[in-house]
Amino acid sequence: MKKIRIFTLAARNLRRKFIRTLVLLLIVAVVTGTLLSATIFISGMKNALRIGTYRLGADVLVVPEKNESQAKAALLAGEPTSFYMSRDVLKKVQAVEGVGKATAQLFIKPASFTCCANVDAFLVAFDPKMDFTIEPWLQKNLKKPLTDEEIIVGSSIPVVVGDTLPFFGTPFTVVGTMEPTGMKFFDQSVFMTMDAAYQMAENSKTKAMEPISINRDEISAVLVQDQENFNPDRVAIKIEHDVAGVKAIASDEVVSTVRRQLGGLLKGILAISAVLWGLALLMMGFAFYMIVNERQRELGLLRAMGAKKGHVFGLIISEAVAISIVGGIVGMAVGSALLLSFKNLIMHSLKLPYLLPSAVVLIELIAGAVLFAVLTGLLASLLPAVSASRMEPYEAIRKGE
Amino acid sequence: MIEVRELTKTYVLDGQVFKAVDNVSFVIGRGEMASIIGHSGSGKTTLLSLIGGLTKPASGSVLIEGKAIWSMSDDELSGFRNRKMNFIYQFSSLVPTLTALENILLPTAFGDHGENLVDYARELLGVVGLTEKENSYPSHLSGGQQRRIAIARAFINKPDIVLADEPTGDLDEDTENEIIALFNRMNKDAGTTFVIVTHNKEIAALTGHQLKMANGIVSDISRA
Ligand SMILES: Nc1ncnc2c1ncn2[C@@H]1O[C@H](COP(=O)(O)OP(=O)(O)OP(=O)(O)O)[C@@H](O)[C@H]1O
Ligand SMILES: [Mg+2]
């Protein structure tokens, strides 16, 4: 038999009142799990937003006026789409005051049977000479120009480098895969050169079951980088004013749309969490008030045996902390498991970009959640523990009788 | 030496000040066996609690080996109790979540008692005749067995002073005699001072120093 310690007493008490311990543990678990999954969720969306808009690399996206909503849906929710306008738009946009760089892209929605089981692939063709959105990545990672037979794919496309993917009857070789961004627009995209896309369209007439027709003077969008000191919103307004029939979407606008949706969600989650936490704190506080009350006599006896105030305080607190740590860990595990398994479902219904935070952030969040649980336990048991330690031993022993 | 000087403890009951211990003074010498007899409600438990520093007096002082216990800080007093004193309570006082042996060892959790006292705890368990109940929980022990465990616990910290409140209240005569023999042995071998509250005049008669308590007032009947 080992030496008796304060913790022995705490552990025995928790075991003795097993049901109560379990209930308190579950309360802590639910609160921790909810808070943790809420924060992981929110930080994941922020993460996606940050990386996604950075990846877009453009201040303004110019699309045909009638396709504004399609373009936004493509950007935000990654819904594949095809729309075209005249290449003249590029020249006109380049002439607008405040426009620094401008480059054309083609968006092509592939025929559904072309590739990749359940992933909605989305073809994006860019102009290697003028592009500033994909090119920097290519230069850094591929270190050679993309040929017209090659493609780069987003992280969600289930292929590896060296695979061959046919689009509209033309085979392409995968030469690179991009790291995940959380935005479907990027993660499900297949990038090829403009020339390759036009060639593919031409070939489709003879090679594909569902041919597409795109003229060499058709483009889907113009991506604009503003000159320094120009406000993207202003430039967008100017483009719409100067160029007929287009809609200029400032990337800020895209971000702020998401932010707004996120903001509402955030407030809701925050309110629920706060209420939940308050309730948990109250319930735990009440439970510990009762625990101290019903154990008055025992605590008084301990004091009479020479337990210092600190010992009694520590006994109560360590019971609360033990519950909190175990509850926190359970909540953390269950919460993250649920979040991960229902991530896609949640994302799908919310139509928001999502990217799991990095491992470091994740570990921070998890550690934070467990710490938070422990703090909750401490807070809930603090007053009862103080009042327990302050009782006069003789009074405590008598009252408990 | 326990020195009680003009000790008074009051309770306020229904707006009336009631003196449970009323201006009591006496001295119990080191290594003495003292008994306090008195009717129910005369203030015996209150007096023992005052001596043990479990409750604060309204006025007066308790000096143990010349040290006024209420001049110590709470932590000092706790440490003092943990090293120098022990109690046997009138009522059941075991912790329900601990086994018999663990209950005996419990006081050692609150201070540094150096050596491993598990063997000593087993020895005490044997002295009170409950060796085979080492791993039993209080709920599986009879009232008398619980009492004997509590008595064994009173010696685990090798105290200088044992304050015993009707220690043999629910024991049969044979066991009672064994316990009194144990007290006498501890008193002789280790020089432990005993203050024993009892209704039993026979037990009182066995002690060298007898005090009588009535309505909060103590009178020294004998000094051997
Ligand atoms: N905390 C308290 N509040 C109010 N009155 C108290 C309190 N403690 C003790 N008393 C009163 O003080 C008196 C003495 O009580 P005490 O327990 O010391 O008696 P006792 O001599 O030990 O009696 P018994 O032999 O029945 O154990 C009693 O009248 C009791 O009601
Ligand atoms: Mg009494």
Side-chain angles (χ1 to χ4, degrees), chain A residues 172-399:
Chain A
F172 291 92
T173 308
V174 178
V175 294
T177 53
M178 301 183 102
E179 59 271 26
T181 63
M183 283 181 106
K184 283 189 183 171
F185 178 72
F186 294 105
D187 293 346
Q188 302 188 358
S189 284
V190 172
F191 297 95
M192 60 178 68
T193 65
M194 234 23 165
D195 282 337
Y198 290 129
Q199 193 60 51
M200 175 188 76
E202 223 169 282
N203 293 346
S204 78
K205 286 174 190 128
T206 55
K207 292 187 183 166
M209 311 240 281
E210 283 181 41
I212 44 160
S213 70
I214 310 168
N215 285 328
R216 287 228 171 224
D217 60 271
E218 276 179 327
I219 55 174
S220 300
V222 175
L223 283 76
V224 174
Q225 244 178 15
D226 301 334
Q227 280 172 18
E228 258 175 65
N229 306 327
F230 278 86
N231 173 321
D233 290 326
R234 288 287 200 70
V235 173
I237 291 168
K238 237 173 151 24
I239 290 170
E240 282 180 16
H241 180 265
D242 291 4
V243 184
V246 300
K247 173 71 194 174
I249 306 165
S251 67
D252 285 1
E253 195 186 326
V254 178
V255 175
S256 63
T257 310
V258 179
R259 281 257 158 80
R260 223 174 305 125
Q261 275 168 281
L262 208 60
L265 201 68
L266 197 78
K267 270 183 205 146
I269 291 176
L270 225 63
I272 294 171
S273 306
V275 168
L276 214 60
W277 187 66
L279 278 178
L281 202 62
L282 268 177
M283 282 167 83
M284 247 189 128
F286 184 65
F288 271 89
Y289 170 78
M290 292 203 327
I291 285 173
V292 163
N293 219 28
E294 77 189 16
R295 293 228 306 265
Q296 264 189 61
R297 180 173 161 79
E298 179 187 323
L299 297 174
L301 287 168
L302 297 183
R303 291 282 280 127
M305 282 171 210
K308 299 186 165 117
K309 283 181 176 174
H311 287 132
V312 171
F313 182 82
L315 174 63
I316 302 299
I317 292 284
S318 53
E319 286 180 29
V321 168
I323 287 177
S324 302
I325 289 177
V326 178
I329 288 171
V330 169
M332 177 210 88
V334 174
S336 355
L338 284 181
L339 185 72
L340 291 184
S341 38
F342 290 108
K343 188 188 88 181
N344 291 333
L345 192 76
I346 301 170
M347 291 310 131
H348 199 74
S349 53
L350 288 175
K351 288 205 188 313
L352 282 169
Y354 184 81
L355 183 67
L356 197 67
S358 68
V360 176
V361 174
L362 214 56
I363 287 168
E364 274 173 14
L365 287 178
I366 286 172
V370 175
L371 198 73
F372 187 75
V374 172
L375 280 178
T376 306
L378 274 178
L379 207 61
S381 60
L382 194 64
L383 280 181
V386 166
S387 90
S389 66
R390 284 207 181 144
M391 291 185 298
E392 189 174 67
Y394 178 61
E395 286 302 316
I397 293 169
R398 272 188 60 101
K399 271 203 196 120

Side-chain angles (χ1 to χ4, degrees), chain A residues 1-6 8-17 295 297-298 300-312 315 389 391-395 397-398 401, chain B residues 9 11 45-46 49 53-56 70 74-76 78-79 81-82 86-87 89 91-99 101-102 105-111 118 122 137 153:
Chain A
M1 207 199 82
K2 285 174 284 157
K3 200 174 174 334
I4 298 268
R5 287 170 208 288
I6 309 281
T8 319
L9 277 174
R12 295 286 175 87
N13 278 311
L14 292 177
R15 214 166 64 191
R16 182 168 141 97
K17 300 281 177 180
R295 293 228 306 265
R297 180 173 161 79
E298 179 187 323
L301 287 168
L302 297 183
R303 291 282 280 127
M305 282 171 210
K308 299 186 165 117
K309 283 181 176 174
H311 287 132
V312 171
L315 174 63
S389 66
M391 291 185 298
E392 189 174 67
Y394 178 61
E395 286 302 316
I397 293 169
R398 272 188 60 101
E401 253 165 31
Chain B
K9 176 77 186 178
Y11 294 110
T45 299
T46 309
S49 303
L54 301 182
T55 186
K56 239 189 158 91
W70 290 108
D74 194 87
D75 276 6
E76 272 181 289
S78 302
R81 274 200 297 266
N82 190 246
N86 215 324
F87 298 83
Y89 300 89
F91 303 104
S92 146
S93 63
L94 300 184
V95 173
T97 52
L98 300 181
T99 63
L101 190 68
E102 288 167 340
L105 281 165
L106 188 53
T108 63
F110 306 112
V118 176
R122 288 215 174 89
Y137 285 91
R153 182 182 62 193

